[in-house]
Amino acid sequence: MRRLLLADDGPAIQKIVRLTFLDHPEIEAQCVSSGDEALEIIDDRLPDLVLADVHMPGASGYEVCKRVKELEPSTPVVLLVGNLESFDEVSAEDCGADGSLRKPFEASELLRCLEEAETKARQRFARTAPIPVVAAETNGPDLGARENDMTDELKLSEEQVDQIARRVVELLTDDEVRKIAWEVVPDMAEVVVKERIRELESQVEEL
């Protein structure tokens, strides 16, 4: 079961969130009324999803989001803001929020926003996660053997390469796919055409 934490001092919003997830037993919704309570829960056991009101007693939604991202950047966080309240886009970006939602909202809006936030969080984490590097010793008589062992460990089967490629494509946004199509495909076509021209020239020379 996945845990969702709602930090909002509005009883109506808490009720909407609880009712929304009654039909989704795979998600357990926990509600608190202040940012300080949210921080205590987050530090004790990080939730899987977080909804945080920008304007609430104690720590703000921006501060709650920042703490979540410090502990686990891939955890989706959606900021909530009242319809007539101010919302700081710069602060939302700085704290790493994955989405925002104006109150009041319908259950369908909440579910859609959370789904989009999860996708954005995965994509952002995939782009920023460091690539693990295996440190090799530079001294000792077995350096060549160790390098060969490392090379063998890093070899991937065709099936594994295909799985990785499919996963990368899933994480790409539509804009990134279009960019690849426009920049990479034409270059590949040019290489193919030039190779074909060289083949034809060789055939002419043989005649």
Side-chain angles (χ1 to χ4, degrees), residues 18 22-23 32 34 37 40 47-48 50 53 59 70 72 81 89 100 114 127 133 142 154 175 183 189 201:
R18 286 196 178 100
L22 284 179
D23 295 330
V32 296
S34 74
E37 290 179 273
E40 290 181 6
D48 300 297
V50 177
D53 185 18
E70 288 174 347
E72 181 50 70
V81 59
E89 295 283 355
S100 62
L114 282 173
R127 288 194 294 267
V133 177
D142 297 327
L154 292 175
D175 290 339
E183 294 184 0
E201 289 176 344

Side-chain angles (χ1 to χ4, degrees), residues 6-15 18 31-35 37-38 51-59 61 80-82 85 103:
L6 166 67
D8 192 297
D9 59 329
I13 296 300
Q14 292 187 8
K15 184 175 182 179
R18 286 196 178 100
C31 303
V32 296
S33 301
S34 74
E37 290 179 273
L51 295 168
D53 185 18
V54 169
H55 304 288
M56 62 179 165
L80 305 179
V81 59
E85 294 177 331
K103 301 182 291 184

Side-chain angles (χ1 to χ4, degrees), residues 54 77-81 87 89 92 97-102 113 116-117:
V54 169
V77 181
V78 173
L79 297 177
L80 305 179
V81 59
F87 182 71
E89 295 283 355
D98 302 296
S100 62
L101 191 59
R102 285 279 179 181
C113 186
E116 293 173 352

Side-chain angles (χ1 to χ4, degrees), residues 23-76:
D23 295 330
H24 297 270
E26 75 278 5
I27 296 180
E28 177 188 6
Q30 180 179 7
C31 303
V32 296
S33 301
S34 74
D36 292 343
E37 290 179 273
L39 290 177
E40 290 181 6
I41 291 174
I42 290 166
D43 286 336
D44 180 58
R45 183 186 173 195
L46 187 65
D48 300 297
L49 300 165
V50 177
L51 295 168
D53 185 18
V54 169
H55 304 288
M56 62 179 165
S60 69
Y62 305 117
E63 294 172 295
V64 170
C65 179
K66 181 179 179 182
R67 181 56 181 160
V68 171
K69 294 299 184 178
E70 288 174 347
L71 294 173
E72 181 50 70
S74 64
T75 299

Side-chain angles (χ1 to χ4, degrees), residues 187-203:
D187 291 340
M188 294 174 62
E190 182 180 357
V191 171
V192 173
V193 171
K194 288 182 177 180
E195 182 64 27
R196 181 56 179 159
I197 291 175
R198 284 195 290 269
E199 291 178 359
L200 292 173
E201 289 176 344
S202 297
Q203 294 175 5

Side-chain angles (χ1 to χ4, degrees), residues 1-13:
M1 178 178 291
R2 305 175 68 200
R3 296 172 58 245
L4 178 145
L5 174 63
L6 166 67
D8 192 297
D9 59 329
I13 296 300

